[in-house]
Amino acid sequence: LWFPPFPGGRARARHPGKPGCKRSRPAIMAALKHRRTALERVEKFLSEIYFTDCNLRGRLFGDRCPPVSLSFFQTPRRIPYDEAVGQEFRPAKVGDSFGPTWETCWFKVELSIPQAWAGREVHFVWESDGEGMVWRDGQPVQGLTKEGEKTSYILTSSLKESEPHSLTLYVELACNGLFGAGKGSMIAPPDPDRRFTLSKAELVIFNRDVYELLVDLEILLDMAQLLGEENQRSFQALYTANQMVNMCDVTDPSTFPAARDLAAAIFSQRNGESQHTIHAVGHCHIDSAWLWPYEETIRKCARSWVTVVRLMERNPELTFACSQAQQFEWVRTWYPGLYTQIQEFVAKEQFIPVGGTWVEMDGNLPSGESMVRQFLQGQLFFQEQFGRICSEFWLPDTFGYSAQLPQLMRGCGIRRFLTQKLSWNLVNTFPHHTFFWEGIDGSRVLTHFPPGDSYGMHGRVEEMLKTVKNNKDKGRVNHSALLFGFGDGGGGPTQKMLDRMKRMSDTDGLPRVQISTPDRLFSVLEKESSQLCTWVGELFLELHNGTYTTQAQIKKGNRECERILHDVEVLSTLAMARGGMFQYPASQLQQLWRLLLLNQFHDVLPGSCIQLVVEDALQYYTEIRRVGARLQEEAVQSLCRELLQPKAGSTKSTLVLNTLPWERTEVISRTGPAGTETLESVSVLSPQEDGSIRESVPDGCYANQFALFDDVPLYWDAWDVMDYHLETRKPVTMLLKPLEITLAGGLRGSVSFSLQIGKSSTLTQEIILDATCPYLRFLTQVEWKEAHKFLKVEFPVQVRSTNATYEIQFGHLQRPTHWNTSWDWARFEVWAHKWLDLSEHGFGVALLNDCKYGASAHGNILSLSLLRAPKSPDATADIAHHQFTYAVMPHLGSFQDAGVIQCAYNMNFPLHAVPASSAQCPAWSAFSVSSPAVVLETVKQDRTHQPEAVVVRLYEAHGSTVVAWLQTSLPVKEAMLCDLLERPAAQGRLPLEQRGMRLSFTPFRVLTVLLVLRR
Ligand SMILES: [Zn+2]
C-alpha cells in the first residue's frame, strides 16, 4: 500500500481499493527530488498537444457522431430567426468555409443521438472562427465562440431513454470573430474578404470526470509553478499532482475518484483569518461598437447573455454584473424570450444590472448635460425594467474620467465607482486601488480598481496572486474585486472559470475567493474605509490622448447635436409653458438623446472604431440634425406664432431667438431678397473694453501658427499620440493664396488666405472680427489627405503662468504648463471643452472652439489639436473635408470677469434668426439669473412628462461661493430643488420671492430645480 506523505492520507483512507480496480502500484515509492521533471510531467498529462494518445486531456471526449444532415443559407443581412428558417437551405459540410466578412450563414443541423449513449453526457460541439448562436425550437439557447472558449452546447448531462434522441438545431454564424476581422492584427482595418471555416460540427460524449480531474490538476500545477520555490505550498501542490498522475489510469475511470480526493484534500486546507478575500463577479465587457458595427453588438449581447443564462441554470451561485441600459434595451427588443429569462435571473439577484448609464460612455468629451442624461436615461431604464436604480457607476474601460463625475454620480443616486483603466497609464503607476475620489466641487465617491488590472479574468491562480500582490491598499482594506469572463467582443464567463474558483474558495497559500456581487464588495469596503486615501481631481489616463482629436466629424457631430438638443428642449419647454396646443416632443427627444448617448460610447466618440461604425455614427448625427431641425421649427412656430404670421402691410423683419440665459450683442447676417446677405448688429450693446488691450503676442512670435507633427504611436494608432511627436514639429509656412481683405470694416472685418499643409492637404481660413465681439474668429476649412500626421494651431501669448485653465463638464480645472514631474509631463496632450485659458493677474488669453477637444498649454504656448490621420482601425479616418471654428480672446482681468465662459457659449450656440412679419418684435425673456457666475444650462420638461412641470439646471461656473436669484416669466406655482434624476430633495422647496428663487452655490455646484406651472 502507498501512503501519501500529506493530506492525501486522509483522503486515501476513505477510498479503500475498489474491487475491480486495475491499479496496483508498488508498495514503496521511489523518492527523488525531481521538481522540474515532475512539473513537466504533469504539464504533459494535461497537454492538448503532446501525448494526447495516452494523457488525460486525450480522454476528455468519448465517442463522436456526425449530424444526420447539415445545410445552410447565406445572407448579407442580420435577419430574425423566423425569416431565416423559411429560406432555402443548401447542403454544407465540415471543412467548408463561408464569407465574406459581415455576412451571416444560417445552418440547419439535424442530429440523432445513438441509443448506446444512454446515461452519458452529450454535447453538440461546433467549432468555427466565426461567432455562432444555437437556436432550438425558435429560441436562442447557446452562444458559441471558439475565441471565448465556448464550443459546446450541452444537450443532456445524462441521456435518458425518455429524452428525444432526434432533434433539429439551427446555428446562426456571423462572419466575424470575437474581435471583428482585422487584417493581420487585431486593430487593423477589417479584411473585407475574410472566409470563416466550419471546422467541427458533431455530437460527442463528454467525460465530466476527466474534466474535473483536469481542472484539479491545472490548479495544482499553477500553484506549483506560481507560488515559487520559497513557498512550501508550491511543493505540496506539485507532489500532490505528481501522485495523482501516478494514481490515474486514463483508461480506467474507476481510478479517478481517489486522485480527485487527493486534490480535494489539499484544496480544503484552510487559510488563516487574515487572508485577503477576492470578490469574484462574472462579467462580459461588450463594446457597444468597436471593431464591429452596432448591429453586430446586438447579436454579441444575445450570444453572451444566453450563455450566462445557461451557466446560471447549472450554477445557482453564479453572479454576473451587466452594464449599459442600451444593451438591455437591444435584447429586450430583438430577443424577448431571452430577455424574460434574464429578468428572472435579475429577480434572483444573479444577473445584476450595474453602472446606471445608457452606455459606458467616454469619460472626458461628453458635455455635463450629456453625462447627466447618460445617468438619467440609464437609471430610469433600470428602475422601470428591474424596479431599482444602480448604486455603482461602472466604467472599467474608458480613457480617463472627468473631475466632475463624482458630483454627477452623487446626484444620480450613486456613491460607488468601479474602473481599472488607469492601470494602462504609460508613465505613472496610480497609487491606489481603493480610495475616495473627490471631484471639483468636493463630492466624494468610494472608488475601486480591481487590483488584477483587468475586467476579463479567467479565474486562474495567477490572477488571484496578482490581485493580492498588486493591491496598493494592503493593510487598509482586505477585500477586492475580480471580474471574470471574456470581454470586449463579448463572450463572458465559462464553466471552467467557475470550477477553478470553487476549488480556490479557501485554500491555504491563495487568497480566499468568493462568488460575490458589486454590492457585497462595496458594502465591505465602506466598512473598511476609515484609513483610505483621497485622490482629488481628474483621473487622467496617461495613454490614448489622441482620442480627443481622432475622427473629427464624430466630435463635431457630438458638439453640434448637444447644442441642437439643448435648443430644442429650451424652445419646446417655453412653447409648452406658454400654453396652447403645443405638445412637448418627449418621445422624439428621448429617441434623439438615446442616439446621441449611444454615439458617446467609449470607442465611438473617441474615434477608436472601424469605418463601418463611423458611418453609422455620422448617420445618427444626421438623423438628430434632421429631426432636431423639424422639432425646433415646430417649437418656434408655436412659441412665436403671431410674430411669424404674415400680416397685410407689414414689412419683413427678423425675429432673433437666444437660447442662452444672458443678453447678447452680436452681428448676424440676414439673407435679403435675391439671396443677398446683409449684416446687422442685434440686441443691446453692453459696454466693452475700449479696445486698448495690451499686446497679446510676444515679439518675434506668430499667433495662429499651424504646425504639423509626425504621429506614429507604438501600437494603438487611432488612440495614441506619443510624447515624442513633440520633437517632430514643423511649422506650416507654404502660402497658397496670400492674405486678402474680404470685408473692410463697419460691423465686420475679415481677411482670408490659404496654406499648403504637408504634401497634399490645404487649409483655407477666414479671420473675422465683428463689432462688439471680444474675440477674433478663425473660420477654417481643411482638405485633409495626410497619413500619420497631427495638425495643431498654436498661439504663443504674452502671459506667464504655471497653470492653464481648461473647461470641463459644468466647470473647469487647472493643469500645469510645465513638465516638472512625471505626472506633469505625462499630460503633454490633454482635453478641454469649449475653451482653455492662460492668465496672469489682470490679463489673459483664451482659446475658444466650436468642435475640438484636444489641447495643450506648455510654457506660454496655447495649442489646439485640429486633425490626426491614423490608419487603424479605420484606414480612412479623417481623410475628408473639415470645417471648424476657433477663436482667440485676449482679456483684461480674470477669465471669469472677462466673460470667457459666456463667449465660448455664444460661439457654440449661435442666435437663431427667423424671418418674421411684424416690424417690431417685442422682447421677451423666459429666464434670467442674477449672477454672472451661474450658468443656466438646461431647460426641459420633467422626466414624468407632465406638461405643467419644467426642470431647469444651473451650475456655478466661476469656482466661487455665490447666491444667485433665478427669475422667470413663466407662471410658476411651486419650485423645488431636486437631484439629477429629478427626484425632489427633502426640504427642497424654494420660496417664490419678488426677486425670484434664491439659489446658493458653492464652487462648481450643479443645482436642478423643478418648476410646477400654473395651467
Ligand atoms: Zn471597451
Side-chain angles (χ1 to χ4, degrees):
L1 269 177
W2 164 72
F3 293 99
F6 49 89
R10 272 189 295 122
R12 182 76 185 93
R14 293 204 302 273
H15 280 271
K18 285 182 187 156
C21 173
K22 277 192 269 178
R23 183 174 48 84
S24 81
R25 301 284 181 189
I28 297 163
M29 190 178 64
L32 286 169
K33 291 204 166 159
H34 59 350
R35 181 177 166 90
R36 173 163 172 196
T37 51
L39 270 172
E40 292 192 18
R41 175 201 194 190
V42 178
E43 257 172 33
K44 295 299 182 303
F45 197 58
L46 308 179
S47 173
E48 284 177 46
I49 301 161
Y50 303 105
F51 301 106
T52 49
D53 60 322
C54 58
N55 75 3
L56 187 63
R57 179 80 60 184
R59 300 279 160 171
L60 185 56
F61 295 103
D63 290 348
R64 297 158 193 275
C65 169
V68 176
S69 82
L70 181 67
S71 54
F72 85 109
F73 118 88
Q74 188 169 328
T75 163
R77 292 184 305 125
R78 298 174 179 89
I79 57 173
Y81 171 87
D82 289 334
E83 189 184 336
V85 296
Q87 306 295 319
E88 203 171 305
F89 284 69
R90 291 182 287 131
K93 61 181 190 305
V94 171
D96 286 352
S97 65
F98 305 88
T101 318
W102 310 125
E103 296 253 319
T104 298
C105 293
W106 284 83
F107 292 86
K108 186 177 183 181
V109 192
E110 293 188 56
L111 299 164
S112 176
I113 308 173
Q115 293 294 337
W117 290 8
R120 309 303 301 268
E121 179 167 339
V122 181
H123 291 191
F124 169 60
V125 170
W126 176 277
E127 281 184 26
S128 158
D129 39 5
E131 290 193 280
M133 169 72 99
V134 184
W135 292 79
R136 185 177 186 173
D137 304 328
Q139 287 300 321
V141 290
Q142 178 69 53
L144 296 177
T145 303
K146 202 174 166 189
E147 293 153 289
E149 292 182 6
K150 291 173 196 75
T151 52
S152 268
Y153 169 48
I154 303 176
L155 291 173
T156 172
S157 50
S158 173
L159 183 67
K160 292 177 198 67
E161 282 282 317
S162 56
E163 276 180 269
H165 283 46
S166 292
L167 69 158
T168 302
L169 301 177
Y170 286 88
V171 180
E172 177 189 8
L173 185 74
C175 290
N176 58 262
L178 196 60
F179 291 92
K183 191 173 190 172
S185 89
M186 179 179 80
I187 62 163
D191 177 355
D193 300 316
R194 190 148 139 202
R195 310 280 303 173
F196 294 80
T197 305
L198 175 58
S199 43
K200 218 175 248 184
E202 62 192 12
L203 292 171
V204 296
I205 290 175
F206 183 78
N207 291 320
R208 182 64 58 179
D209 49 358
V210 171
Y211 163 84
E212 299 288 0
L213 205 46
L214 284 169
V215 178
D216 286 346
L217 283 162
E218 228 179 66
I219 291 181
L220 292 171
L221 184 63
D222 279 353
M223 287 173 71
Q225 280 172 329
L226 298 167
L227 287 172
E229 287 191 53
E230 68 278 16
N231 190 323
Q232 66 162 348
R233 283 296 273 172
S234 159
F235 290 87
Q236 291 171 351
L238 174 62
Y239 291 122
T240 302
N242 187 55
Q243 296 295 14
M244 288 166 69
V245 180
N246 285 336
M247 289 166 77
C248 282
D249 176 348
V250 297
T251 64
D252 179 9
S254 75
T255 62
F256 297 170
R260 290 219 61 209
D261 285 345
L262 272 188
I266 193 163
F267 293 143
S268 64
Q269 286 190 315
R270 300 283 174 244
N271 274 298
E273 277 178 36
S274 67
Q275 186 55 273
H276 190 80
T277 299
I278 289 175
H279 293 248
V281 182
H283 189 49
C284 177
H285 183 73
I286 304 180
D287 288 315
S288 289
W290 179 29
L291 302 173
W292 53 87
Y294 285 125
E295 263 195 29
E296 192 55 41
T297 309
I298 300 174
R299 300 201 296 192
K300 281 176 175 288
C301 294
R303 287 192 286 263
S304 304
W305 296 358
V306 76
T307 304
V308 171
V309 165
R310 288 291 88 75
L311 279 172
M312 283 180 175
E313 286 166 353
R314 299 171 66 88
N315 303 272
E317 77 282 6
L318 173 62
T319 57
F320 180 75
C322 191
S323 66
Q324 312 199 60
Q326 169 72 83
Q327 296 187 357
F328 281 93
E329 175 63 12
W330 278 334
V331 170
R332 189 174 84 95
T333 307
W334 296 101
Y335 300 86
L338 170 59
Y339 192 73
T340 306
Q341 293 178 308
I342 288 170
Q343 279 177 311
E344 285 162 19
F345 283 106
V346 171
K348 289 181 185 164
E349 294 180 11
Q350 282 183 259
F351 207 107
I352 305 163
V354 293
T357 50
W358 187 249
V359 295
E360 286 188 15
M361 72 280 198
D362 180 81
N364 300 326
L365 311 188
S367 69
E369 190 58 30
S370 285
M371 291 236 180
V372 171
R373 301 307 173 92
Q374 286 286 353
F375 285 107
L376 185 66
Q377 288 293 329
Q379 292 286 46
L380 293 184
F381 179 88
F382 291 122
Q383 177 72 49
E384 182 191 297
Q385 292 294 312
F386 307 115
R388 63 168 198 93
I389 61 170
C390 303
S391 63
E392 67 297 288
F393 183 34
W394 189 276
L395 205 53
D397 191 31
T398 292
F399 315 149
Y401 304 87
S402 163
Q404 187 57 279
L405 276 165
Q407 182 180 199
L408 302 186
M409 287 182 226
R410 294 291 295 247
C412 295
I414 289 175
R415 290 159 174 267
R416 303 157 165 184
F417 173 43
L418 183 141
T419 181
Q420 62 80 45
K421 197 69 184 183
L422 262 60
S423 66
W424 284 49
N425 269 7
L426 207 61
V427 182
N428 297 286
T429 305
F430 196 79
H432 316 298
H433 281 104
T434 307
F435 60 102
F436 286 104
W437 179 26
E438 188 176 303
I440 51 169
D441 72 313
S443 296
R444 299 167 101 214
V445 288
L446 178 60
T447 301
H448 181 68
F449 299 173
D453 292 345
S454 168
Y455 48 74
M457 310 283 254
H458 293 173
R460 304 200 70 127
V461 171
E462 187 185 3
E463 300 160 353
M464 305 301 159
L465 296 176
K466 182 178 179 188
T467 296
V468 178
K469 194 174 169 198
N470 204 29
N471 181 17
K472 297 273 187 309
D473 294 283
K474 295 186 191 78
R476 297 176 190 273
V477 288
N478 208 14
H479 294 257
S480 58
L482 180 139
L483 309 178
F484 65 96
F486 285 92
D488 296 326
T494 65
Q495 184 66 47
K496 195 178 235 182
M497 295 174 190
L498 273 169
D499 290 335
R500 286 179 185 134
M501 289 187 290
K502 273 180 204 162
R503 285 158 173 81
M504 287 185 264
S505 63
D506 189 356
T507 292
D508 189 17
L510 298 178
R512 284 199 194 88
V513 188
Q514 48 180 253
I515 302 296
S516 183
T517 67
D519 181 54
R520 257 180 267 158
L521 169 72
F522 276 108
S523 299
V524 185
L525 293 178
E526 278 161 5
K527 286 199 193 89
E528 291 186 340
S529 66
S530 66
Q531 292 190 69
L532 290 179
C533 301
T534 297
W535 178 271
V536 179
E538 67 181 324
L539 296 174
F540 184 84
L541 180 63
E542 296 171 354
L543 199 71
H544 294 357
N545 314 102
T547 60
Y548 320 141
T549 306
T550 306
Q551 299 286 9
Q553 316 217 40
I554 289 183
K555 268 72 174 176
K556 185 172 175 166
N558 183 67
R559 183 75 66 82
E560 245 183 72
C561 291
E562 285 177 340
R563 191 248 307 154
I564 289 168
L565 295 185
H566 169 274
D567 285 358
V568 171
E569 285 188 340
V570 171
L571 295 167
S572 302
T573 308
L574 299 186
M576 173 188 82
R578 292 197 111 185
M581 299 297 289
F582 183 78
Q583 288 270 321
Y584 189 87
S587 68
Q588 291 104 309
L589 271 168
Q590 168 164 297
Q591 225 174 338
L592 298 186
W593 265 112
R594 286 181 171 185
L595 284 182
L596 179 63
L597 299 179
L598 175 56
N599 275 353
Q600 289 172 350
F601 178 74
H602 66 253
D603 283 309
V604 181
L605 182 51
S608 48
C609 49
I610 59 170
Q611 189 185 354
L612 277 179
V613 178
V614 177
E615 286 166 7
D616 282 349
L618 296 182
Q619 186 59 42
Y620 292 169
Y621 292 129
T622 303
E623 176 75 1
I624 297 169
R625 287 185 185 105
R626 186 182 64 78
V627 181
R630 179 171 57 77
L631 295 179
Q632 181 175 311
E633 166 84 16
E634 284 167 13
V636 170
Q637 284 295 331
S638 169
L639 191 61
C640 313
R641 193 176 307 278
E642 294 101 68
L643 300 172
L644 301 178
Q645 260 149 27
K647 284 192 200 89
S650 69
T651 49
K652 286 261 179 286
S653 177
T654 301
L655 179 70
V656 180
L657 295 160
N658 171 19
T659 58
L660 295 177
W662 45 75
E663 255 182 35
R664 295 160 72 175
T665 303
E666 285 175 26
V667 176
I668 57 165
S669 79
R670 283 173 62 189
T671 313
T676 54
E677 293 233 334
T678 52
L679 297 173
E680 207 156 307
S681 172
V682 295
S683 180
V684 189
L685 259 164
S686 57
Q688 291 295 316
E689 302 299 339
D690 61 5
S692 63
I693 278 186
R694 69 173 229 212
E695 190 62 46
S696 302
V697 182
D699 281 348
C701 295
Y702 297 99
N704 197 39
Q705 172 70 60
F706 293 97
L708 202 60
F709 298 81
D710 292 346
D711 189 14
V712 186
L714 298 173
Y715 176 73
W716 297 98
D717 201 0
W719 292 256
D720 287 350
V721 55
M722 311 308 297
D723 44 13
Y724 52 74
H725 87 283
L726 294 168
E727 298 166 22
T728 66
R729 175 180 179 275
K730 290 183 189 64
V732 176
T733 53
M734 176 127 38
L735 209 53
L736 283 180
K737 193 171 127 257
L739 195 76
E740 64 172 23
I741 295 171
T742 40
L743 274 176
L747 284 175
R748 174 172 292 173
S750 70
V751 294
S752 72
F753 65 93
S754 296
L755 289 173
Q756 172 86 41
I757 307 172
K759 286 199 180 61
S760 42
S761 305
T762 55
L763 179 148
T764 303
Q765 202 166 53
E766 189 181 7
I767 307 177
I768 301 178
L769 183 62
D770 280 352
T772 77
C773 182
Y775 52 85
L776 188 64
R777 277 183 298 154
F778 301 82
L779 269 62
T780 316
Q781 315 241 18
V782 184
E783 220 39 78
W784 184 246
K785 297 172 185 168
E786 297 303 305
H788 289 120
K789 298 286 176 194
F790 197 158
L791 179 69
K792 304 184 188 182
V793 64
E794 300 167 345
F795 286 85
V797 295
Q798 202 161 317
V799 175
R800 179 166 173 78
S801 172
T802 52
N803 282 295
T805 310
Y806 300 81
E807 190 194 32
I808 68 163
Q809 294 79 0
F810 299 137
H812 57 261
L813 50 68
Q814 295 199 320
R815 300 186 184 109
T817 56
H818 55 74
W819 295 336
N820 277 2
T821 72
S822 60
W823 292 89
D824 302 328
W825 77 63
R827 286 182 283 175
F828 57 87
E829 175 79 11
V830 298
W831 59 272
H833 283 185
K834 301 186 287 294
W835 57 268
L836 60 149
D837 179 86
L838 191 67
S839 286
E840 56 191 34
H841 178 71
F843 178 75
V845 179
L847 199 50
L848 323 178
N849 74 80
D850 74 346
C851 63
K852 296 296 171 192
Y853 295 91
S856 64
H858 184 229
N860 67 332
I861 300 173
L862 294 174
S863 300
L864 194 62
S865 302
L866 302 177
L867 293 167
R868 294 187 71 217
K871 300 297 164 195
S872 287
D874 175 6
T876 67
D878 282 318
I879 303 306
H881 179 82
H882 298 272
Q883 190 172 335
F884 50 86
T885 299
Y886 53 87
V888 65
M889 177 173 169
H891 59 83
L892 296 177
S894 68
F895 70 84
Q896 290 99 330
D897 294 338
V900 165
I901 297 169
Q902 282 78 6
C903 285
Y905 270 96
N906 291 348
M907 200 175 96
N908 277 269
F909 292 80
L911 295 167
H912 298 287
V914 186
S917 57
S918 130
Q920 280 295 311
C921 296
W924 178 71
S925 166
F927 291 99
S928 67
V929 184
S930 68
S931 167
V934 173
V935 175
L936 194 168
E937 172 82 23
T938 305
V939 178
K940 64 185 278 287
Q941 191 186 44
D942 93 320
R943 62 170 177 146
T944 56
H945 308 313
Q946 292 165 25
E948 65 276 12
V950 169
V951 166
V952 296
R953 187 158 14 258
L954 312 94
Y955 71 94
E956 198 290 318
H958 286 180
S960 62
T961 298
V962 64
V963 168
W965 292 87
L966 170 65
Q967 207 156 38
T968 175
S969 57
L970 304 187
V972 174
K973 186 169 74 179
E974 206 182 325
M976 62 202 92
L977 287 173
C978 52
D979 68 4
L980 297 175
L981 301 182
E982 300 168 19
R983 302 177 296 187
Q987 277 113 42
R989 186 172 296 267
L990 292 169
L992 300 169
E993 300 180 39
Q994 191 62 39
R995 297 175 64 186
M997 288 151 267
R998 185 180 190 277
L999 299 170
S1000 13
F1001 291 87
T1002 47
F1004 308 117
R1005 182 88 191 279
V1006 181
L1007 288 182
T1008 306
V1009 183
L1010 184 69
L1011 304 173
V1012 183
L1013 306 181
R1014 280 192 306 271
R1015 298 303 303 199

